[in-house]
Amino acid sequence: MYIHIVYTEIGMAQEFRAKVFKSGNSLAVRLPKGLGAIEGTEMIVREDRGTFTFEPANTQRKISGDGWMGALPWLSPVTPEDREFDHSPRPWDDPDWPSAA
């Protein structure tokens, strides 16, 4: 029994085809909607021995708890009133600090 093909086909990425066209004095490629690219996103294009790779220029991702916050019903946002803390005394609040020893 040969199961290796089944596992490799499941993990394979989707493949899309796109044509290069002329746009003004440049060449352009339309990215298929299925890739999920957002209009106006700046992309980095790399060429390595005839192979082109595209990736969004801003690779920093913002962390959002929207997807998993509903799974934690006991967790609720902190209100502005709860964010205020009582002032705890600090050594530098003392007028004699630092004292000469």
Side-chain angles (χ1 to χ4, degrees):
M1 184 157 50
Y2 192 71
I3 300 178
H4 181 71
I5 293 176
V6 174
Y7 290 122
T8 55
E9 286 181 5
I10 291 172
M12 291 178 61
Q14 282 187 303
E15 184 176 298
F16 295 93
R17 289 185 176 251
K19 287 188 177 182
V20 177
F21 64 96
K22 187 168 182 170
S23 176
N25 288 329
S26 300
L27 296 177
V29 176
R30 282 191 182 97
L31 299 176
K33 187 175 184 179
L35 291 175
I38 299 170
E39 182 180 350
T41 302
E42 186 177 345
M43 303 290 280
I44 296 173
V45 182
R46 291 190 178 92
E47 185 271 333
D48 182 26
R49 294 183 228 142
T51 301
F52 297 95
T53 57
F54 297 82
E55 66 182 80
N58 54 352
T59 55
Q60 293 180 349
R61 295 183 182 184
K62 293 183 179 177
I63 297 173
S64 172
D66 295 342
W68 53 271
M69 288 291 282
L72 308 170
W74 63 89
L75 191 62
S76 61
V78 177
T79 62
E81 294 82 26
D82 292 337
R83 292 182 187 167
E84 294 180 12
F85 297 98
D86 293 333
H87 178 73
S88 57
R90 304 282 189 236
W92 51 85
D93 292 335
D94 185 6
D96 296 329
W97 187 82
S99 60

